[in-house]
Amino acid sequence: MVSGFRRALGSFTYRTFFKKESTYFTTVIASGVAFSMVFNTVFDKYWDRKTAGLKWDDIKDRYAPASE
C-alpha cells in the first residue's frame, strides 16, 4: 500500500512541477527564494539571541548622548 501511495505521489509531483520546462524553472526559482527567506529569518533570529546586549542598538543609550 505504501508503495502505491509513493508512486502516485511521485507521479503527481512529476506531472505538476517537473514535466514542462517552464513549471520546472518556476518551481526551482520559487523554492530557492522561499529557502533563502526562511534561512535568513531563522539565522537572523538566532544571531540576535546570541549577540543580545552586544549590538549597537542595545548599548547605544550608554554611549550616545540623547538627542531631543
Side-chain angles (χ1 to χ4, degrees), residues 1-66:
M1 186 63 146
V2 174
S3 176
F5 175 73
R6 289 181 66 192
R7 184 179 305 209
L9 183 62
S11 178
F12 170 76
T13 303
Y14 172 74
R15 281 185 281 117
T16 304
F17 299 111
F18 302 119
K19 190 170 184 180
K20 291 172 56 178
E21 186 175 350
S22 60
T23 56
Y24 176 74
F25 178 76
T26 303
T27 301
V28 169
I29 297 301
S31 299
V33 169
F35 176 79
S36 174
M37 291 172 62
V38 169
F39 181 82
N40 287 335
T41 301
V42 169
F43 190 79
D44 285 345
K45 287 183 189 283
Y46 163 76
W47 190 253
D48 287 341
R49 277 194 215 121
K50 182 178 169 105
T51 61
L54 301 173
K55 295 180 300 246
W56 176 247
D57 291 336
D58 299 335
I59 63 171
K60 180 179 4 180
D61 298 333
R62 287 187 260 168
Y63 297 102

